[in-house]
Amino acid sequence: EDIYARFTPNRNPDRQRWWFDCFLHRDGSSAYAAMCREFPRLPDRASYFATLDDMVFDWKKGVNLNYDHIILDRIYRFPVRFLERTLGSSPAALGVVEDARKARDDAGREEALKKLIPMLGGDRSLYKAVQRELDAARDNVLRRVSMNYTVAVPHYYPSKGAMDFILPLFMTDEDEPDCILLVGRRGEGYYGATILETDLAYPYARL
């Protein structure tokens, strides 16, 4: 049965335009009858995709990655074990990663790993090392999607009014993903925009 949310104009000019009033359904109540009089044609259910193609990720198109943003702006979202392995050629970078490992909480870990940003920006070999491993993680998940399309989870992006996808990245463990990659359509292919921690996978997988 359809359920409708009724909103009322907010008379306070310093607040949001509407405030929630109540939920209504076809129950014969006076409130439902009043809504039908005011809105002779009730709204249809929300539609989040135009075709089934919007819901199924086409792995054959590949994924181009936003390397600078992912590596330089979001390096603190990579797992420590991955960074230890990938940046092993740089004692200075390993020292930063060790500080992150010893951090007492997520905020301290993030603050420590942000010190890698100037190192990666100034040392092309370190940047390329992370890029190669990131490419390997992307290729790994594309192989997984080719065997099981449900690995790519649809994700509705409200501001764009479009369906994107969430791909799990397995960087240190073949059984448990370390990060998630947010992937959108760009032209005829896909674009990996950013990475997030795995605990954000569920709220982002919204339909």
Side-chain angles (χ1 to χ4, degrees):
E1 183 179 5
D2 289 336
I3 298 176
Y4 302 93
R6 187 173 73 182
F7 293 82
T8 301
N10 194 335
R11 295 185 178 87
N12 189 333
D14 299 325
R15 301 292 182 177
Q16 70 274 14
R17 185 178 177 185
W18 302 91
W19 62 273
F20 173 72
D21 185 6
C22 63
F23 287 115
L24 297 167
H25 64 98
R26 194 186 302 271
D27 60 354
S29 66
S30 58
Y32 180 83
M35 181 181 69
C36 291
R37 287 194 300 271
E38 188 169 358
F39 302 100
R41 186 183 184 281
L42 296 178
D44 296 326
R45 291 190 181 190
S47 177
Y48 301 103
F49 56 94
T51 69
L52 288 178
D53 290 340
D54 293 335
M55 301 291 290
V56 179
F57 182 84
D58 186 355
W59 61 271
K60 296 185 292 297
K61 293 181 178 179
V63 177
N64 293 317
L65 297 174
N66 185 0
Y67 291 112
D68 279 354
H69 171 71
I70 294 173
I71 296 174
L72 297 180
D73 298 336
R74 296 294 181 263
I75 190 64
Y76 58 87
R77 291 179 175 166
F78 285 78
V80 167
R81 286 174 55 198
F82 169 87
L83 294 172
E84 285 178 331
R85 184 186 72 220
T86 307
L87 303 178
S89 64
S90 169
L94 283 181
V96 170
V97 176
E98 183 60 25
D99 289 342
R101 179 184 289 281
K102 295 177 181 177
R104 295 182 177 181
D105 52 30
D106 290 342
R109 174 185 176 278
E110 177 178 329
E111 193 63 29
L113 290 180
K114 283 183 176 179
K115 296 176 183 177
L116 291 172
I117 294 174
M119 296 182 185
L120 292 165
D123 189 330
R124 199 63 184 169
S125 64
L126 288 181
Y127 182 100
K128 285 290 187 181
V130 177
Q131 183 179 1
R132 283 193 298 271
E133 292 298 319
L134 183 59
D135 283 342
R138 173 202 57 194
D139 295 343
N140 176 291
V141 73
L142 289 179
R143 285 192 296 271
R144 290 171 183 256
V145 175
S146 72
M147 294 182 284
N148 181 1
Y149 74 94
T150 63
V151 170
V153 179
H155 152 59
Y156 181 64
Y157 205 116
S159 63
K160 296 194 305 182
M163 293 299 301
D164 290 344
F165 293 92
I166 294 172
L167 298 180
L169 295 180
F170 299 82
M171 295 175 159
T172 64
D173 192 316
E174 283 297 310
D175 297 318
E176 292 290 335
D178 300 284
C179 302
I180 58 175
L181 178 68
L182 295 187
V183 176
R185 287 180 171 80
R186 175 169 289 188
E188 295 299 316
Y190 296 100
Y191 184 66
T194 193
I195 63 169
L196 296 170
E197 293 87 350
T198 53
D199 58 357
L200 293 175
Y202 182 79
Y204 268 77
R206 56 195 175 201
L207 294 178

